[in-house]
Amino acid sequence: MLDIDKIRKDFPILNRKVNGKPLVYFDNAATSQTPQQVIDVIVDYYSNYNANIHRGVHALSQEATDKYEAARLTIQNHFNAKHAYEIIYTSGTTESINLVAHGFAALLNKSDEVIVSALEHHSNIVPWQMLCEKTGATLKVIPMNQEGELDMVVYAQLLSNKTKLVFVNHISNALGTINPIESIIKQAHNVGAAVLIDGAQACPHVKPDVQALNVDFYVTSAHKMCGPTGVGMLYGKQEWLEKLPPYQGGGEMIDQVSFEKTTYAGLPHKFEAGTPNICGGIAFGAAIDYMNTVGFETIANYENELLKYGTEKLLEIDGLKIYGTAKNKTSVISFNLDGIHPYDVGTLLDKMGIAVRTGHHCAQPIMDYFKIPGTIRASFAFYNTKQEIDALVEGIKKAKMMLS
Ligand code: C6P
């Protein structure tokens, strides 16, 4: 059982008011809130041991290096990677995907195919389009149905010995669909294709095991899972990370440099050029520790309750339509009110202290599929309550009255 009163005390921001009303934060899929335990780690870093890492012989640098590398081990354990050097620190999901897409430019040619799904965030579409432009490879799309589920029959038909890479999100940010990634990975491997899973929306809700999944690349951002912005990770199987060329050149990623020739460092440093987000990496580890203390099973059970409650209550509102009704979904509800622009509803909800996201959620192809400009998205985290959902429902009723 989740002790919600105790949990909410961990998040100082939940006490604030917005427009004179208690904050109801339902924009967790964009960025989650930060518990005091993680804030303390950030303050401790800048108060006590702020220094560059892997470079200094002095005490501060060594302390910072030890904590940064300890956080890498926390991330490794959390995702069950075989080796710590298979965890590459990045600035987030977007950079992780760009790093892999950049690397594959050296491995693809114009007879190759890559497969994306119709449910993707722009971060998992555009870097691959750029890759296809560079290499001449062809981009194929797994279609979705009205529920927001992927068409696995078509997926099987798209796969062939031309397929070199499949990239799909674990959970859709716009609809909340949980994709059948185990089956997607197995089928791709059967034709010899590698698989990248975008875990940005999954990691706040589940604990992925990259070895059990046998996935080639898994990427995520810390700020979706109680950590800070500007840091994330790329998990890559050792054999793939060794095959890919470096992404950026600079300090730390080299073995030897001369004007005639440069040789590169081994993993993970080959992909970590320049001074990284040291504090962010350490805080990412603290965020993972925090979430594991709450427990992912506890989190999932509680959020499923919120999803069920929220779905039932919202559907009681006349003219409200939910987009994304997959059997397997997480605590994200995307919806519209008949004849009313989502932006107007979002603006009025903000006046009532309720934070939701409105628009296309960086997933325009999904909006095009439903022939809508966007949706209102309420995304729940384990620190939200049913009372807050009641406030949202009341807020929507008021907004609807004002806008009709
Ligand atoms: N989605 C949302 O409101 P970054 O910005 O690199 O941390 O994450 C990008 C990203 C990639 N994939 C998925 C599935 C995502 O949901 C996101 C971020 C936020 O839905 C902000 S656009």
Side-chain angles (χ1 to χ4, degrees):
M1 274 289 284
L2 186 132
D3 184 346
I4 188 66
D5 294 333
K6 183 167 169 286
I7 293 282
R8 284 181 71 83
K9 286 200 184 94
D10 289 339
F11 293 83
I13 207 168
L14 299 179
N15 291 322
R16 71 160 284 181
K17 293 196 166 171
V18 170
N19 293 319
K21 306 277 168 18
L23 168 68
V24 173
Y25 188 76
F26 283 155
D27 197 16
N28 296 289
T31 288
S32 58
Q33 292 305 341
T34 317
Q36 192 61 50
Q37 289 85 337
V38 174
I39 298 171
D40 288 346
V41 166
I42 295 169
V43 172
D44 183 41
Y45 172 81
Y46 283 110
S47 308
N48 293 310
Y49 64 99
N50 176 27
N52 214 322
I53 52 168
H54 301 138
R55 289 160 167 85
V57 291
H58 59 81
L60 260 54
S61 173
Q62 299 219 337
E63 239 176 86
T65 304
D66 290 349
K67 293 243 166 74
Y68 189 68
E69 290 307 326
R72 196 191 302 270
L73 294 181
T74 302
I75 300 168
Q76 176 203 351
N77 286 332
H78 180 73
F79 290 96
N80 194 29
K82 198 164 173 194
H83 306 289
Y85 53 73
E86 292 177 319
I87 302 295
I88 311 295
Y89 280 117
T90 64
S91 66
T93 304
T94 303
E95 188 179 46
S96 302
I97 295 171
N98 276 279
L99 187 160
V100 177
H102 171 270
F104 266 84
L107 306 179
L108 295 189
N109 61 51
K110 64 177 184 330
S111 58
D112 292 330
E113 293 178 357
V114 295
I115 299 182
V116 67
S117 96
L119 271 177
E120 300 307 309
H121 185 279
H122 297 163
S123 288
N124 205 22
I125 300 173
V126 183
W128 307 110
Q129 286 175 323
M130 291 158 75
L131 170 68
C132 288
E133 267 169 36
K134 258 189 248 167
T135 60
T138 306
L139 184 76
K140 303 252 164 157
V141 184
I142 313 168
M144 62 185 261
N145 63 20
Q146 283 291 325
E147 278 70 47
E149 294 168 329
L150 293 181
D151 187 331
M152 294 295 283
V153 175
V154 176
Y155 174 55
Q157 291 162 354
L158 291 177
L159 286 165
S160 75
N161 59 6
K162 288 186 185 169
T163 315
K164 291 296 173 292
L165 190 60
V166 176
F167 27 95
V168 175
N169 60 38
H170 192 164
I171 294 181
S172 153
N173 71 316
L175 305 182
T177 311
I178 304 175
N179 286 316
I181 59 167
E182 292 83 357
S183 165
I184 289 171
I185 294 165
K186 255 195 211 123
Q187 293 189 57
H189 285 171
N190 285 344
V191 298
V195 180
L196 177 142
I197 298 295
D198 171 354
Q201 293 297 336
C203 294
H205 309 290
V206 297
K207 188 171 173 169
D209 179 330
V210 293
Q211 287 192 77
L213 286 169
N214 194 18
V215 68
D216 303 287
F217 303 99
Y218 194 98
V219 299
T220 199
S221 302
H223 71 98
K224 309 273 195 205
M225 48 186 308
C226 298
T229 53
V231 66
M233 70 113 204
L234 157 67
Y235 158 79
K237 272 187 192 160
Q238 178 177 359
E239 66 251 42
W240 276 114
L241 293 179
E242 278 168 358
K243 239 180 260 177
L244 298 187
Y247 175 50
Q248 292 182 322
E252 271 304 291
M253 52 75 72
I254 54 89
D255 170 34
Q256 293 287 327
V257 177
S258 73
F259 285 112
E260 288 69 43
K261 184 173 169 58
T262 290
T263 51
Y264 303 125
L267 297 174
H269 306 294
K270 172 177 144 186
F271 293 109
E272 294 182 351
T275 301
N277 183 349
I278 302 164
C279 177
I282 295 167
F284 187 5
I288 286 178
D289 283 341
Y290 176 80
M291 292 202 70
N292 278 306
T293 308
V294 180
F296 277 86
E297 220 182 295
T298 309
I299 289 173
N301 289 338
Y302 182 75
E303 288 175 344
N304 282 339
E305 253 181 61
L306 292 183
L307 174 65
K308 187 166 175 288
Y309 184 78
T311 305
E312 283 167 9
K313 288 282 162 189
L314 286 170
L315 284 176
E316 284 170 12
I317 299 173
D318 214 26
L320 185 145
K321 177 174 162 97
I322 292 180
Y323 296 90
T325 49
K327 279 182 283 303
N328 213 359
K329 72 175 274 192
T330 193
S331 50
V332 170
I333 307 181
S334 248
F335 60 93
N336 272 336
L337 291 172
D338 198 17
I340 302 176
H341 198 282
Y343 178 82
D344 295 336
V345 181
T347 307
L348 286 178
L349 287 175
D350 178 55
K351 297 270 180 284
M352 303 173 212
I354 302 169
V356 292
R357 185 171 172 186
T358 62
H360 55 58
H361 314 298
C362 301
Q364 280 181 358
I366 297 179
M367 304 303 135
D368 292 347
Y369 173 85
F370 288 115
K371 300 189 174 56
I372 50 176
T375 68
I376 303 149
R377 184 186 69 180
S379 49
F380 310 136
F382 60 94
Y383 42 76
N384 289 129
T385 64
K386 288 184 181 168
Q387 290 77 2
E388 289 180 310
I389 293 175
D390 292 340
L392 171 72
V393 171
E394 282 316 303
I396 292 168
K397 285 182 184 163
K398 264 193 219 158
K400 192 180 158 211
M401 253 174 11
M402 290 163 84
L403 295 165
S404 300

